[in-house]
Amino acid sequence: MAETKHASNTKTAKTNRKNRLAQAFKQAPWRSRVQVVGGFLVALIVVLIVAGIYLSISGQAATAGLEAYRLDLKRLDLERQIADTRAQIAVLTSATNMEARALEMGFQRISPEEAIYLTIPGYAGKQTMMVTTPPGTEPAEKQLVKYIYRESLWDWLFTGINVLSEGALEVKR
Amino acid sequence: MKKSSFPRYSFLGAVLTLFAVAIFVQMVRIQNSADAEVLNDWANNYGYENRTIQSERGYIYDRWGNLLAGNKEVYEVGIEIKFVMNPAAIAAATSKVLGLDYGFVFKSATNPPEGFNYITLADFITSEQIDELSQLKTQYENKNPYGADPNKPSLRGLVWSPHLQRTYPEQDLASNVLGFFTFYDRKEGAGYYGVEEMYGNLLSGVSKNVLISLDPYEMQEIPTVPPGASLVLTIDREIQRSMEKILDHAVAANKADSGAIIVMNPRNGEILAMANTPRLNPNTYWNYNDYFPAGSSYNKSVNQVYEPGSVFKVITMAAALDAGVVTPHTPFFDTGQIEVGGWTIYNWDRGAWGEQDMVGCMQHSLNVCLSWVATQLGPERFYDYLERFGIGHRTNIDLAGEEVYPLSVPGDPTWYTINLATNSFGQGLAVTPIQLLTAASAIANDGKMMAPHVLKAYIQNGQQYDTAPQVVGTPISAETAKTLTDMLAISLEQEASDALVEGYRVAGKTGTAEIAVNGQYTSNQTNASFIGWGPVDDPQFIVYIWLEKPRSSIWGSIVAAPVFHDVVQELVVLMGLPPDDVRLSLAEK
């Protein structure tokens, strides 16, 4: 009996609150406009936040794109400079120049009679050119831009879902 | 909040909404306006860069890593018409710094061909000249920003872009081996002669056209191409240079038309040096016709066949010894003539040398004796041995344009019985120096003939691939090779030849081949040759020398043998070969 009375009281209190709110909005119609404006502002803020994030990300992407382009040009430039420097070094150390420098420094060509020969244990003699490693396993192809920087939101989402679902399947097994 | 504030807020909201709507409307209008197509075209034209990605041409090194062919940075200079502010200043500057014609530049800048936005003024400009132009441009720009004042000079519109140009830092060193690359033709440039032609595909790498989006949002991986493969040659720069010096001196001193010296390691077929005259500086390859008029060979060592003369006797003797027809001590009584196929063969001096053995026959280079040896061998076995030595076939050395002269053998319409005799002393057949050197290398390498080659290794995709020596045949036994080597060493020693080098035992044979003019041999024009190797007990080098039409003397023993002496004197130092006694005593320890 007491429980029924308590429930009835609660229901009455709720109805009263509703009525009071309705009355308040009737007495001051600007409250409903504030509600509308508030909703609009919240939506606007959400849009602004999304737009801001979008602008920020796309700005960064554009900067990164331009930087990649600039770096590629720089790479080409450096490759040319390296080639050019190699050629310059080769000219400076060419047989003609080296001989001229040696003569300037007082060196003389040796004759076979002047040569002194010694046995040096462990010395295999002058070795021919070996500039790189001999062939072995083919190196894996490297990609300039990692996948994570190229995947879209959807790719990321679906990859995540796939990973999760595969994980779930593993657990089931 | 006051009630009176609402109209103001409403007004502000309406204004902002209108503003947003206006932006949207404007966007739609632009997208659908008459100019939209033009704007789209602009975006398409300027939104992408059509770039040709060309591999850097591979380098060429000698066996020790000295750069023989590389690439240097040069510039193309041009004018971008729409940015030109002062054509006269550009014409004056390029005329002064680059030596261009003032009128041409001025006309190009003021009255360009229709539809041209860019005009190339000059190409292959050095970085020093570009530095000078750059300084001038900056100087003018500081005094006349943006070229705003037409009365002040401005180089706006004058632009330059870098690219690579093939370069040969050693100038004409080994140019006959390297060949050249026609770098002035930036689109169709190709390698000619030598390894530049032979390995052109490896060196050039790949070329591809790609469309690169300039929209930073669409920026993808910019494709790259690996550089062309680099080559490591068997050539030793120091030996090559020494051989070229010796050859130049020998050609000049003997007033010869030209010459060639080849140095090879008989153990593995590696060419250590291949010197020829004349030599073209490949940096100025357009002078080709000055050095090589029509009919002449770029690399006589591989591109030109000639009758070798008496140096060929080593092949004949090797065949006879290997077949067991003769031994070093087989006696031969030289009467000064022998009749073969109805023709009489004489010695080089038309003299009779009396009692001889095979060593004496080689020492005195007796045509009569060697003709007799060939008849003892018989045509079938003789030509079978020549076949085994690769005579009449290319050696397939990895240099472009190797020549070959077909060998007439019994049964061919061009073969007569007399050929057996004349072929035995190197007439009536023709070889390239590399062909005879390869054949003779079997004698210096225990009977094994190695494939001659100039490529030691190539470097591709960051890895080095070494080439393996190849045995191309075993025409004679090791015992025969040793016997003949001893015979030739003794014959040089007994003759007290100018080819001998103190401290080193060498084996060799001279050759003097008369040159046929209008079908008749003439004794005042010869090819003087020498083939030799050493040290005799463990050959480390085999050398072929050829002087074409020497005028100081026609004899190989006089003009070519001393050259061999000079060559060996240099070789033993450059290769670090101790004198025989020192080497043997060190080996015993």
Side-chain angles (χ1 to χ4, degrees), chain B residues 74-79 89-102 104-105 118-136 155 157-161 184:
Chain B
V74 289
Y75 295 81
E76 177 185 303
V77 175
I79 38 179
I90 291 175
T94 51
S95 172
K96 183 187 164 200
V97 180
L98 309 180
L100 300 181
D101 180 58
Y102 181 94
F104 159 71
V105 179
Y118 172 83
I119 290 174
T120 304
L121 295 179
D123 203 350
F124 300 97
I125 301 300
T126 63
S127 50
E128 289 79 18
Q129 288 172 302
I130 291 300
D131 286 346
E132 204 175 331
L133 275 181
S134 180
Q135 279 176 13
L136 208 55
L155 294 185
L158 182 67
V159 293
W160 45 84
S161 59
Y184 261 120

Side-chain angles (χ1 to χ4, degrees), chain A residues 30 58 69 72 75 80 83-84 86 93-95 99 109-110 117 119 127-129 131-133 135, chain B residues 6 49 51 56 59 63-64 71 73 162 170 217 224 237 241 245 459 462-464 570 573 577 586:
Chain A
W30 54 268
S58 57
Y69 186 75
D72 184 60
R75 178 182 62 78
R80 277 194 302 271
D84 193 60
R86 271 189 183 149
T93 57
S94 66
E99 186 176 346
R109 283 192 83 82
I110 193 172
Y117 295 90
T119 305
Q127 298 300 301
T128 51
M129 188 188 187
V131 289
T132 63
T133 53
Chain B
F6 282 114
E49 180 190 343
R51 192 188 287 180
E56 182 187 351
Y59 301 124
R63 65 190 295 116
W64 307 118
N71 306 302
E73 194 174 40
E170 300 283 353
Y217 298 116
T224 56
R237 183 182 75 168
R241 183 170 154 75
K245 273 185 169 181
I459 300 154
Q463 295 190 319
Q464 183 161 332
E570 285 288 312
V573 172
L577 298 175
L586 287 175

Side-chain angles (χ1 to χ4, degrees), chain B residues 39-60:
Chain B
L39 290 170
N40 268 333
D41 283 347
W42 281 11
N44 288 335
N45 285 340
Y46 298 106
Y48 294 91
E49 180 190 343
N50 194 351
R51 192 188 287 180
T52 302
I53 303 179
Q54 171 69 54
S55 296
E56 182 187 351
R57 193 167 176 83
Y59 301 124
I60 303 176

Side-chain angles (χ1 to χ4, degrees), chain A residues 52-109:
Chain A
I53 292 171
Y54 174 78
L55 278 175
S56 170
I57 297 295
S58 57
Q60 285 179 40
T63 308
L66 289 173
E67 184 68 359
Y69 186 75
R70 192 188 63 77
L71 286 173
D72 184 60
L73 293 178
K74 182 74 179 166
R75 178 182 62 78
L76 293 173
D77 200 31
L78 285 172
E79 280 177 4
R80 277 194 302 271
Q81 282 179 28
I82 290 167
D84 193 60
T85 308
R86 271 189 183 149
Q88 285 180 38
I89 291 170
V91 170
L92 292 172
T93 57
S94 66
T96 316
N97 284 345
M98 292 300 280
E99 186 176 346
R101 283 166 61 188
L103 289 172
E104 270 176 25
M105 293 167 77
F107 287 97
Q108 291 177 340
R109 283 192 83 82

Side-chain angles (χ1 to χ4, degrees), chain B residues 111 430 441:
Chain B
N111 188 21
S441 72

Side-chain angles (χ1 to χ4, degrees), chain B residues 332-347 366-376 418 421-422 424-425:
Chain B
F332 175 75
F333 190 81
D334 181 36
T335 58
Q337 59 182 55
I338 186 172
E339 194 175 299
V340 180
W343 293 79
T344 306
I345 302 292
Y346 299 96
N347 284 322
L366 303 180
N367 296 346
V368 172
C369 177
L370 268 294
S371 297
W372 173 78
V373 168
T375 56
Q376 296 302 298
I418 181 67
T422 55
S424 72
F425 52 87

